[in-house]
Amino acid sequence: MALITAAEVINRAFTNANTDTSLIKSTFIEISELNHIRPVLGEDLYNEILTQSLGTLTALNSVLLENYIKDYLAFCVKFEVLPDISYNTTSQGVVENLADFTNPVSEKKLAFLRTETYRKADTFKKKMVEYLVDNHSDYPLWVNETSGGVIKKFGIITY
């Protein structure tokens, strides 16, 4: 199960609330969690929150998820999904998604939008890390990489 729904992604990160939720596949959410959330939270805290989200979150993990993780994750998902929303892979090849009375943006403008989306995600990432630093005793599974703690990433332990 994912930490956020497609509807929550649209509500938190998209300007157009009428964006079709089917454009945000569960795989984009999973990619975003694995590429962006798990490295920041660390494997242990990420797995704890993911496991608890299937049932009942602790009060502390609920605050972290609802007030910090979901904002960051929503913009990470938007960052990951933007190219697929703009372009579509069909039996005819890669085509631009066009509706009546719309003009496609250039690749340069799409790159700018992705950069801006990533910048917004990074702002929420910093806010989340500040919260974890300020409340580190409440999250013993989280290891602050800048505090000289032991870190386990991808099966490798670093000091």
Side-chain angles (χ1 to χ4, degrees):
M1 177 164 169
L3 297 177
I4 196 168
T5 66
E8 288 174 308
V9 170
I10 291 167
N11 186 48
R12 290 173 185 258
F14 280 71
T15 305
N16 184 352
N18 294 322
T19 301
D20 186 356
T21 57
S22 69
L23 294 172
I24 302 172
K25 307 284 185 219
S26 62
T27 50
F28 285 111
I29 295 172
E30 182 179 6
I31 287 168
S32 299
E33 287 182 15
L34 296 175
N35 286 340
H36 303 281
I37 300 299
R38 187 172 67 175
V40 176
L41 295 182
E43 200 168 324
D44 293 336
L45 182 56
Y46 171 76
N47 287 334
E48 178 182 82
I49 292 171
L50 188 62
T51 301
Q52 286 181 7
S53 71
L54 299 172
T56 304
L57 286 161
T58 65
L60 289 170
N61 285 345
S62 181
V63 168
L64 179 61
L65 178 63
E66 293 300 325
N67 298 340
Y68 299 93
I69 293 173
K70 285 188 178 185
D71 285 335
Y72 176 45
L73 183 55
F75 280 93
C76 291
V77 172
K78 182 178 179 181
F79 172 79
E80 297 290 353
V81 81
L82 275 173
D84 276 53
I85 289 176
S86 301
Y87 302 105
N88 194 7
T89 305
T90 70
S91 59
Q92 313 295 308
V94 178
V95 297
E96 290 179 323
N97 286 331
L98 298 175
D100 294 338
F101 310 111
T102 63
N103 292 319
V105 298
S106 66
E107 289 181 31
K108 184 177 178 181
K109 288 180 181 178
L110 178 59
F112 171 77
L113 178 58
R114 287 193 82 217
T115 300
E116 285 300 301
T117 300
Y118 192 80
R119 189 179 60 74
K120 288 172 178 67
D122 195 51
T123 299
F124 282 119
K125 175 184 172 183
K126 289 174 185 171
K127 180 181 173 186
M128 181 175 65
V129 169
E130 286 175 10
Y131 172 77
L132 286 166
V133 167
D134 291 345
N135 298 280
H136 66 276
S137 62
D138 291 333
Y139 298 96
L141 294 178
W142 181 70
V143 177
N144 184 356
E145 294 184 23
T146 60
S147 69
V150 177
I151 304 158
K152 180 180 176 186
K153 277 191 176 179
F154 310 111
I156 300 170
I157 297 174
T158 60
Y159 300 92

